[in-house]
Amino acid sequence: MTSPARTASMRNRMEMYSGNALKLGLFGANCSSGRSATLVPERWSASWADCLALARLAEARGIDFMLPIARWKGYGGATDFHGTSLETLTWAAGLLAATTRITVFGTVHAPLFHPLIAAKEFVTADHIGQGRFGLNLVVGWNEGEFEMFGVDQREHDARYAYAQEWLDAVLRAWAEPGEFDFEGKFLKLAGVRAFPKPFGGTRPIIMNAGSSPIGQAFALRNCDAFFTANAASRVSLDAAVRKVEEIKAQARALGHETEVFTVGQVVCRPTQKEAEDYYRHAMIENADWGAIDGMLALKDITPYVIPAEEYAKKRHYFAANAIGGYPYVGTPDHVAEELANISRAGMRGIAVSFVNYLNELPYFCDEVLPRLARLGVREEPMRQPA
Ligand SMILES: Cc1cc2nc3c(=O)[nH]c(=O)nc-3n(C[C@H](O)[C@H](O)[C@H](O)COP(=O)(O)O)c2cc1C
């Protein structure tokens, strides 16, 4: 039997095997157009070849993690935003096999996956990556996706009650040394055997991004990492510090230690004007408004239920904020300073997207990473591969 080449303590896993105080990840690269509902021709393809090249580049440049989006159905519009997506667990397994250092998350909708099949898929990916697989557990919010599977979506709070049982079953499958029965309200599992256990005698890190009170409580009770779309840069640094402390205190009160992460969109260019011009060009002037209307309609926001002026504002806000991620737009100095603020606020990391990840990541790594090291929130960046 070959022995594990790597130690994968829970601390190692949370540190993502690096000394970077601020963890940087890439968000949404498995979905067409990533996080930018835009018509620009350079928008992200999400092809496997591009994802693989991106993961290799990201790893070589010291990016800490990749976070996909579990999406089953496009949002429509001229581009059918997210209409093409790679399934996240098989995507993660492929990327983990092709890399050695970067952490890769898989995102699952608890109601759509049997917990024992899912638990084994997570373990398999975790062994492939030698302790670099992370789990993003979501309960779903897009009704059309559930109809497509012929699965009835539970009412909102019951989704989290089910997810709790689902996660408890997965955790037992990961930990129980022998056979076990699981008797819950929703799940009855008899004579369960689940081997092997996750890599290195520990378990994958678990994240969630629930934003409702019940979703947030679920995350803080169960997860190692809580993702909030409310980035530090939206508010003052003091307010962000208070918010992060409040989230961590709530988690502690629920008997858990949770790290706080956020999400954002980066447009970084040599001058502020170039960055702002491109941001406006891609995200506003060439927004895929049909897709944005489709997404808002799924959240019951339509011009039929709110006044036209208010709807126009919401629509603009959604486009301008990369469908729920603060835009970091500007020079390397500007972007680095805003990202460093996230770390100063006590957040552990951020998952960012680009209009075209492969085109834009090299400049970001060349210019922003050394500045983040000088600002004391990341290690010296890795040298560019020859
Ligand atoms: C970083 C991040 C990643 C998310 N990933 C997914 C995903 O892959 N699939 C999905 O259906 N929802 C995803 N969501 C949505 C959340 O899981 C959650 O359902 C949403 O924030 C609404 O909160 P609630 O469930 O508490 O109402 C994500 C949200 C964030 C901020």
Side-chain angles (χ1 to χ4, degrees), residues 15-46:
E15 286 177 343
M16 299 179 182
Y17 308 97
S18 87
N20 294 317
L22 179 73
K23 306 297 174 195
L24 283 176
L26 299 176
F27 184 29
N30 67 310
C31 292
S32 54
S33 296
R35 299 269 298 162
S36 315
T38 175
L39 306 173
V40 295
E42 67 273 24
R43 65 184 182 272
W44 184 241
S45 74

PDB file of all heavy atoms in Angstrom, residues 15-46:
ATOM      1  N   GLU A  15      -6.160  25.981   5.352  1.00  0.00           N
ATOM      2  CA  GLU A  15      -5.120  26.891   4.845  1.00  0.00           C
ATOM      3  C   GLU A  15      -4.899  26.713   3.347  1.00  0.00           C
ATOM      4  O   GLU A  15      -4.151  27.453   2.735  1.00  0.00           O
ATOM      5  CB  GLU A  15      -3.802  26.636   5.587  1.00  0.00           C
ATOM      6  CG  GLU A  15      -3.849  27.192   6.997  1.00  0.00           C
ATOM      7  CD  GLU A  15      -2.589  26.904   7.777  1.00  0.00           C
ATOM      8  OE1 GLU A  15      -1.804  26.012   7.372  1.00  0.00           O
ATOM      9  OE2 GLU A  15      -2.407  27.580   8.808  1.00  0.00           O
ATOM     10  N   MET A  16      -5.533  25.700   2.795  1.00  0.00           N
ATOM     11  CA  MET A  16      -5.394  25.373   1.369  1.00  0.00           C
ATOM     12  C   MET A  16      -3.920  25.199   1.017  1.00  0.00           C
ATOM     13  O   MET A  16      -3.461  25.628  -0.047  1.00  0.00           O
ATOM     14  CB  MET A  16      -6.098  26.424   0.490  1.00  0.00           C
ATOM     15  CG  MET A  16      -7.594  26.489   0.777  1.00  0.00           C
ATOM     16  SD  MET A  16      -8.429  27.732  -0.208  1.00  0.00           S
ATOM     17  CE  MET A  16     -10.111  27.589   0.417  1.00  0.00           C
ATOM     18  N   TYR A  17      -3.190  24.639   1.967  1.00  0.00           N
ATOM     19  CA  TYR A  17      -1.790  24.262   1.755  1.00  0.00           C
ATOM     20  C   TYR A  17      -0.928  25.462   1.345  1.00  0.00           C
ATOM     21  O   TYR A  17       0.020  25.308   0.575  1.00  0.00           O
ATOM     22  CB  TYR A  17      -1.690  23.114   0.743  1.00  0.00           C
ATOM     23  CG  TYR A  17      -2.595  21.947   1.117  1.00  0.00           C
ATOM     24  CD1 TYR A  17      -3.864  21.797   0.559  1.00  0.00           C
ATOM     25  CD2 TYR A  17      -2.199  21.028   2.088  1.00  0.00           C
ATOM     26  CE1 TYR A  17      -4.709  20.760   0.934  1.00  0.00           C
ATOM     27  CE2 TYR A  17      -3.040  19.980   2.471  1.00  0.00           C
ATOM     28  CZ  TYR A  17      -4.289  19.856   1.885  1.00  0.00           C
ATOM     29  OH  TYR A  17      -5.124  18.821   2.273  1.00  0.00           O
ATOM     30  N   SER A  18      -1.280  26.653   1.832  1.00  0.00           N
ATOM     31  CA  SER A  18      -0.424  27.813   1.572  1.00  0.00           C
ATOM     32  C   SER A  18      -0.435  28.719   2.795  1.00  0.00           C
ATOM     33  O   SER A  18      -1.316  28.613   3.653  1.00  0.00           O
ATOM     34  CB  SER A  18      -0.914  28.605   0.349  1.00  0.00           C
ATOM     35  OG  SER A  18      -1.883  29.569   0.721  1.00  0.00           O
ATOM     36  N   GLY A  19       0.549  29.616   2.850  1.00  0.00           N
ATOM     37  CA  GLY A  19       0.622  30.551   3.979  1.00  0.00           C
ATOM     38  C   GLY A  19      -0.064  31.871   3.684  1.00  0.00           C
ATOM     39  O   GLY A  19       0.091  32.823   4.443  1.00  0.00           O
ATOM     40  N   ASN A  20      -0.827  31.951   2.586  1.00  0.00           N
ATOM     41  CA  ASN A  20      -1.499  33.206   2.253  1.00  0.00           C
ATOM     42  C   ASN A  20      -2.581  33.519   3.279  1.00  0.00           C
ATOM     43  O   ASN A  20      -3.472  32.702   3.502  1.00  0.00           O
ATOM     44  CB  ASN A  20      -2.166  33.103   0.872  1.00  0.00           C
ATOM     45  CG  ASN A  20      -1.140  32.950  -0.234  1.00  0.00           C
ATOM     46  OD1 ASN A  20      -0.119  33.640  -0.222  1.00  0.00           O
ATOM     47  ND2 ASN A  20      -1.400  32.051  -1.180  1.00  0.00           N
ATOM     48  N   ALA A  21      -2.497  34.722   3.885  1.00  0.00           N
ATOM     49  CA  ALA A  21      -3.550  35.110   4.836  1.00  0.00           C
ATOM     50  C   ALA A  21      -4.861  35.278   4.073  1.00  0.00           C
ATOM     51  O   ALA A  21      -5.911  34.803   4.507  1.00  0.00           O
ATOM     52  CB  ALA A  21      -3.165  36.407   5.531  1.00  0.00           C
ATOM     53  N   LEU A  22      -4.802  35.953   2.934  1.00  0.00           N
ATOM     54  CA  LEU A  22      -6.005  36.147   2.103  1.00  0.00           C
ATOM     55  C   LEU A  22      -6.002  35.087   1.004  1.00  0.00           C
ATOM     56  O   LEU A  22      -5.135  35.093   0.121  1.00  0.00           O
ATOM     57  CB  LEU A  22      -5.996  37.546   1.467  1.00  0.00           C
ATOM     58  CG  LEU A  22      -7.185  37.838   0.555  1.00  0.00           C
ATOM     59  CD1 LEU A  22      -8.464  38.055   1.359  1.00  0.00           C
ATOM     60  CD2 LEU A  22      -6.922  39.068  -0.324  1.00  0.00           C
ATOM     61  N   LYS A  23      -6.968  34.201   1.062  1.00  0.00           N
ATOM     62  CA  LYS A  23      -7.061  33.151   0.026  1.00  0.00           C
ATOM     63  C   LYS A  23      -7.769  33.732  -1.195  1.00  0.00           C
ATOM     64  O   LYS A  23      -8.800  34.401  -1.059  1.00  0.00           O
ATOM     65  CB  LYS A  23      -7.865  31.948   0.535  1.00  0.00           C
ATOM     66  CG  LYS A  23      -7.372  31.354   1.846  1.00  0.00           C
ATOM     67  CD  LYS A  23      -5.983  30.795   1.740  1.00  0.00           C
ATOM     68  CE  LYS A  23      -5.463  30.335   3.097  1.00  0.00           C
ATOM     69  NZ  LYS A  23      -4.001  30.113   3.086  1.00  0.00           N
ATOM     70  N   LEU A  24      -7.221  33.431  -2.346  1.00  0.00           N
ATOM     71  CA  LEU A  24      -7.834  33.907  -3.592  1.00  0.00           C
ATOM     72  C   LEU A  24      -8.324  32.723  -4.402  1.00  0.00           C
ATOM     73  O   LEU A  24      -7.579  31.750  -4.600  1.00  0.00           O
ATOM     74  CB  LEU A  24      -6.804  34.672  -4.434  1.00  0.00           C
ATOM     75  CG  LEU A  24      -6.459  36.096  -3.997  1.00  0.00           C
ATOM     76  CD1 LEU A  24      -5.359  36.651  -4.893  1.00  0.00           C
ATOM     77  CD2 LEU A  24      -7.689  37.002  -4.056  1.00  0.00           C
ATOM     78  N   GLY A  25      -9.547  32.805  -4.871  1.00  0.00           N
ATOM     79  CA  GLY A  25     -10.101  31.720  -5.678  1.00  0.00           C
ATOM     80  C   GLY A  25     -10.744  32.268  -6.936  1.00  0.00           C
ATOM     81  O   GLY A  25     -10.933  33.482  -7.087  1.00  0.00           O
ATOM     82  N   LEU A  26     -11.087  31.360  -7.844  1.00  0.00           N
ATOM     83  CA  LEU A  26     -11.787  31.730  -9.082  1.00  0.00           C
ATOM     84  C   LEU A  26     -13.194  31.153  -8.985  1.00  0.00           C
ATOM     85  O   LEU A  26     -13.377  29.972  -8.675  1.00  0.00           O
ATOM     86  CB  LEU A  26     -11.047  31.166 -10.298  1.00  0.00           C
ATOM     87  CG  LEU A  26      -9.607  31.674 -10.459  1.00  0.00           C
ATOM     88  CD1 LEU A  26      -8.926  30.983 -11.636  1.00  0.00           C
ATOM     89  CD2 LEU A  26      -9.587  33.194 -10.649  1.00  0.00           C
ATOM     90  N   PHE A  27     -14.168  31.985  -9.289  1.00  0.00           N
ATOM     91  CA  PHE A  27     -15.576  31.621  -9.065  1.00  0.00           C
ATOM     92  C   PHE A  27     -16.308  31.494 -10.398  1.00  0.00           C
ATOM     93  O   PHE A  27     -16.271  32.415 -11.225  1.00  0.00           O
ATOM     94  CB  PHE A  27     -16.215  32.718  -8.201  1.00  0.00           C
ATOM     95  CG  PHE A  27     -17.640  32.470  -7.782  1.00  0.00           C
ATOM     96  CD1 PHE A  27     -18.148  31.192  -7.618  1.00  0.00           C
ATOM     97  CD2 PHE A  27     -18.490  33.544  -7.512  1.00  0.00           C
ATOM     98  CE1 PHE A  27     -19.459  30.970  -7.217  1.00  0.00           C
ATOM     99  CE2 PHE A  27     -19.803  33.345  -7.104  1.00  0.00           C
ATOM    100  CZ  PHE A  27     -20.284  32.057  -6.966  1.00  0.00           C
ATOM    101  N   GLY A  28     -16.954  30.344 -10.601  1.00  0.00           N
ATOM    102  CA  GLY A  28     -17.922  30.220 -11.700  1.00  0.00           C
ATOM    103  C   GLY A  28     -17.365  29.846 -13.057  1.00  0.00           C
ATOM    104  O   GLY A  28     -18.069  29.955 -14.064  1.00  0.00           O
ATOM    105  N   ALA A  29     -16.111  29.349 -13.109  1.00  0.00           N
ATOM    106  CA  ALA A  29     -15.491  29.099 -14.420  1.00  0.00           C
ATOM    107  C   ALA A  29     -16.067  27.877 -15.138  1.00  0.00           C
ATOM    108  O   ALA A  29     -15.791  27.668 -16.318  1.00  0.00           O
ATOM    109  CB  ALA A  29     -13.980  28.950 -14.267  1.00  0.00           C
ATOM    110  N   ASN A  30     -16.889  27.077 -14.443  1.00  0.00           N
ATOM    111  CA  ASN A  30     -17.488  25.910 -15.111  1.00  0.00           C
ATOM    112  C   ASN A  30     -18.758  26.275 -15.881  1.00  0.00           C
ATOM    113  O   ASN A  30     -19.352  25.403 -16.522  1.00  0.00           O
ATOM    114  CB  ASN A  30     -17.822  24.821 -14.076  1.00  0.00           C
ATOM    115  CG  ASN A  30     -18.927  25.280 -13.145  1.00  0.00           C
ATOM    116  OD1 ASN A  30     -18.853  26.381 -12.596  1.00  0.00           O
ATOM    117  ND2 ASN A  30     -19.954  24.487 -12.978  1.00  0.00           N
ATOM    118  N   CYS A  31     -19.193  27.529 -15.798  1.00  0.00           N
ATOM    119  CA  CYS A  31     -20.446  27.938 -16.451  1.00  0.00           C
ATOM    120  C   CYS A  31     -20.172  28.925 -17.578  1.00  0.00           C
ATOM    121  O   CYS A  31     -19.341  29.833 -17.421  1.00  0.00           O
ATOM    122  CB  CYS A  31     -21.368  28.630 -15.446  1.00  0.00           C
ATOM    123  SG  CYS A  31     -22.003  27.536 -14.183  1.00  0.00           S
ATOM    124  N   SER A  32     -20.915  28.799 -18.678  1.00  0.00           N
ATOM    125  CA  SER A  32     -20.699  29.711 -19.798  1.00  0.00           C
ATOM    126  C   SER A  32     -20.963  31.147 -19.348  1.00  0.00           C
ATOM    127  O   SER A  32     -21.918  31.422 -18.625  1.00  0.00           O
ATOM    128  CB  SER A  32     -21.585  29.340 -20.987  1.00  0.00           C
ATOM    129  OG  SER A  32     -22.938  29.273 -20.621  1.00  0.00           O
ATOM    130  N   SER A  33     -20.067  32.033 -19.744  1.00  0.00           N
ATOM    131  CA  SER A  33     -20.045  33.456 -19.357  1.00  0.00           C
ATOM    132  C   SER A  33     -19.633  33.675 -17.908  1.00  0.00           C
ATOM    133  O   SER A  33     -19.630  34.826 -17.447  1.00  0.00           O
ATOM    134  CB  SER A  33     -21.375  34.167 -19.627  1.00  0.00           C
ATOM    135  OG  SER A  33     -21.637  34.197 -21.013  1.00  0.00           O
ATOM    136  N   GLY A  34     -19.264  32.621 -17.184  1.00  0.00           N
ATOM    137  CA  GLY A  34     -18.779  32.778 -15.802  1.00  0.00           C
ATOM    138  C   GLY A  34     -19.799  33.529 -14.967  1.00  0.00           C
ATOM    139  O   GLY A  34     -20.924  33.064 -14.785  1.00  0.00           O
ATOM    140  N   ARG A  35     -19.421  34.699 -14.474  1.00  0.00           N
ATOM    141  CA  ARG A  35     -20.353  35.490 -13.664  1.00  0.00           C
ATOM    142  C   ARG A  35     -20.734  36.790 -14.359  1.00  0.00           C
ATOM    143  O   ARG A  35     -21.218  37.706 -13.709  1.00  0.00           O
ATOM    144  CB  ARG A  35     -19.693  35.809 -12.318  1.00  0.00           C
ATOM    145  CG  ARG A  35     -19.349  34.574 -11.507  1.00  0.00           C
ATOM    146  CD  ARG A  35     -20.443  34.159 -10.598  1.00  0.00           C
ATOM    147  NE  ARG A  35     -20.755  35.172  -9.618  1.00  0.00           N
ATOM    148  CZ  ARG A  35     -21.885  35.212  -8.928  1.00  0.00           C
ATOM    149  NH1 ARG A  35     -22.820  34.315  -9.125  1.00  0.00           N
ATOM    150  NH2 ARG A  35     -22.091  36.150  -8.031  1.00  0.00           N
ATOM    151  N   SER A  36     -20.485  36.844 -15.681  1.00  0.00           N
ATOM    152  CA  SER A  36     -20.750  38.092 -16.399  1.00  0.00           C
ATOM    153  C   SER A  36     -21.824  37.850 -17.462  1.00  0.00           C
ATOM    154  O   SER A  36     -21.557  37.208 -18.477  1.00  0.00           O
ATOM    155  CB  SER A  36     -19.476  38.589 -17.099  1.00  0.00           C
ATOM    156  OG  SER A  36     -18.369  38.493 -16.231  1.00  0.00           O
ATOM    157  N   ALA A  37     -23.011  38.379 -17.221  1.00  0.00           N
ATOM    158  CA  ALA A  37     -24.092  38.218 -18.204  1.00  0.00           C
ATOM    159  C   ALA A  37     -23.872  39.258 -19.299  1.00  0.00           C
ATOM    160  O   ALA A  37     -24.467  40.327 -19.291  1.00  0.00           O
ATOM    161  CB  ALA A  37     -25.443  38.397 -17.529  1.00  0.00           C
ATOM    162  N   THR A  38     -22.998  38.933 -20.233  1.00  0.00           N
ATOM    163  CA  THR A  38     -22.565  39.901 -21.236  1.00  0.00           C
ATOM    164  C   THR A  38     -22.576  39.303 -22.638  1.00  0.00           C
ATOM    165  O   THR A  38     -22.425  38.087 -22.800  1.00  0.00           O
ATOM    166  CB  THR A  38     -21.134  40.404 -20.904  1.00  0.00           C
ATOM    167  OG1 THR A  38     -20.678  41.258 -21.961  1.00  0.00           O
ATOM    168  CG2 THR A  38     -20.130  39.266 -20.757  1.00  0.00           C
ATOM    169  N   LEU A  39     -22.729  40.198 -23.615  1.00  0.00           N
ATOM    170  CA  LEU A  39     -22.714  39.766 -25.018  1.00  0.00           C
ATOM    171  C   LEU A  39     -21.312  39.818 -25.624  1.00  0.00           C
ATOM    172  O   LEU A  39     -21.127  39.385 -26.761  1.00  0.00           O
ATOM    173  CB  LEU A  39     -23.611  40.690 -25.854  1.00  0.00           C
ATOM    174  CG  LEU A  39     -25.058  40.877 -25.402  1.00  0.00           C
ATOM    175  CD1 LEU A  39     -25.734  41.967 -26.253  1.00  0.00           C
ATOM    176  CD2 LEU A  39     -25.831  39.567 -25.542  1.00  0.00           C
ATOM    177  N   VAL A  40     -20.332  40.394 -24.918  1.00  0.00           N
ATOM    178  CA  VAL A  40     -19.032  40.615 -25.573  1.00  0.00           C
ATOM    179  C   VAL A  40     -18.472  39.287 -26.086  1.00  0.00           C
ATOM    180  O   VAL A  40     -18.583  38.259 -25.408  1.00  0.00           O
ATOM    181  CB  VAL A  40     -18.002  41.335 -24.655  1.00  0.00           C
ATOM    182  CG1 VAL A  40     -18.460  42.748 -24.334  1.00  0.00           C
ATOM    183  CG2 VAL A  40     -17.727  40.548 -23.383  1.00  0.00           C
ATOM    184  N   PRO A  41     -17.886  39.283 -27.300  1.00  0.00           N
ATOM    185  CA  PRO A  41     -17.493  38.006 -27.907  1.00  0.00           C
ATOM    186  C   PRO A  41     -16.418  37.254 -27.115  1.00  0.00           C
ATOM    187  O   PRO A  41     -16.330  36.040 -27.217  1.00  0.00           O
ATOM    188  CB  PRO A  41     -16.961  38.414 -29.295  1.00  0.00           C
ATOM    189  CG  PRO A  41     -16.768  39.892 -29.252  1.00  0.00           C
ATOM    190  CD  PRO A  41     -17.649  40.439 -28.178  1.00  0.00           C
ATOM    191  N   GLU A  42     -15.633  37.978 -26.310  1.00  0.00           N
ATOM    192  CA  GLU A  42     -14.588  37.307 -25.527  1.00  0.00           C
ATOM    193  C   GLU A  42     -15.135  36.688 -24.236  1.00  0.00           C
ATOM    194  O   GLU A  42     -14.366  36.188 -23.417  1.00  0.00           O
ATOM    195  CB  GLU A  42     -13.438  38.278 -25.209  1.00  0.00           C
ATOM    196  CG  GLU A  42     -13.772  39.430 -24.260  1.00  0.00           C
ATOM    197  CD  GLU A  42     -14.346  40.652 -24.976  1.00  0.00           C
ATOM    198  OE1 GLU A  42     -14.909  40.496 -26.077  1.00  0.00           O
ATOM    199  OE2 GLU A  42     -14.254  41.768 -24.414  1.00  0.00           O
ATOM    200  N   ARG A  43     -16.476  36.709 -24.053  1.00  0.00           N
ATOM    201  CA  ARG A  43     -17.038  36.129 -22.819  1.00  0.00           C
ATOM    202  C   ARG A  43     -16.580  34.668 -22.681  1.00  0.00           C
ATOM    203  O   ARG A  43     -16.222  34.013 -23.654  1.00  0.00           O
ATOM    204  CB  ARG A  43     -18.563  36.252 -22.809  1.00  0.00           C
ATOM    205  CG  ARG A  43     -19.248  35.458 -23.868  1.00  0.00           C
ATOM    206  CD  ARG A  43     -20.752  35.708 -23.857  1.00  0.00           C
ATOM    207  NE  ARG A  43     -21.407  34.896 -24.865  1.00  0.00           N
ATOM    208  CZ  ARG A  43     -21.584  35.263 -26.135  1.00  0.00           C
ATOM    209  NH1 ARG A  43     -21.160  36.443 -26.546  1.00  0.00           N
ATOM    210  NH2 ARG A  43     -22.180  34.448 -26.985  1.00  0.00           N
ATOM    211  N   TRP A  44     -16.673  34.177 -21.433  1.00  0.00           N
ATOM    212  CA  TRP A  44     -16.059  32.879 -21.074  1.00  0.00           C
ATOM    213  C   TRP A  44     -16.806  31.705 -21.707  1.00  0.00           C
ATOM    214  O   TRP A  44     -18.038  31.635 -21.626  1.00  0.00           O
ATOM    215  CB  TRP A  44     -16.054  32.766 -19.556  1.00  0.00           C
ATOM    216  CG  TRP A  44     -15.380  31.555 -19.005  1.00  0.00           C
ATOM    217  CD1 TRP A  44     -15.954  30.584 -18.253  1.00  0.00           C
ATOM    218  CD2 TRP A  44     -13.997  31.202 -19.138  1.00  0.00           C
ATOM    219  NE1 TRP A  44     -15.017  29.647 -17.907  1.00  0.00           N
ATOM    220  CE2 TRP A  44     -13.814  29.995 -18.435  1.00  0.00           C
ATOM    221  CE3 TRP A  44     -12.903  31.768 -19.783  1.00  0.00           C
ATOM    222  CZ2 TRP A  44     -12.570  29.351 -18.354  1.00  0.00           C
ATOM    223  CZ3 TRP A  44     -11.678  31.134 -19.705  1.00  0.00           C
ATOM    224  CH2 TRP A  44     -11.523  29.944 -19.001  1.00  0.00           C
ATOM    225  N   SER A  45     -16.057  30.753 -22.275  1.00  0.00           N
ATOM    226  CA  SER A  45     -16.695  29.611 -22.941  1.00  0.00           C
ATOM    227  C   SER A  45     -17.103  28.517 -21.958  1.00  0.00           C
ATOM    228  O   SER A  45     -18.076  27.810 -22.179  1.00  0.00           O
ATOM    229  CB  SER A  45     -15.718  28.984 -23.941  1.00  0.00           C
ATOM    230  OG  SER A  45     -14.708  28.261 -23.231  1.00  0.00           O
ATOM    231  N   ALA A  46     -16.295  28.351 -20.873  1.00  0.00           N
ATOM    232  CA  ALA A  46     -16.463  27.241 -19.925  1.00  0.00           C
ATOM    233  C   ALA A  46     -16.202  25.884 -20.570  1.00  0.00           C
ATOM    234  O   ALA A  46     -16.641  24.853 -20.053  1.00  0.00           O
ATOM    235  CB  ALA A  46     -17.833  27.269 -19.248  1.00  0.00           C
TER     236      ALA A  46
END
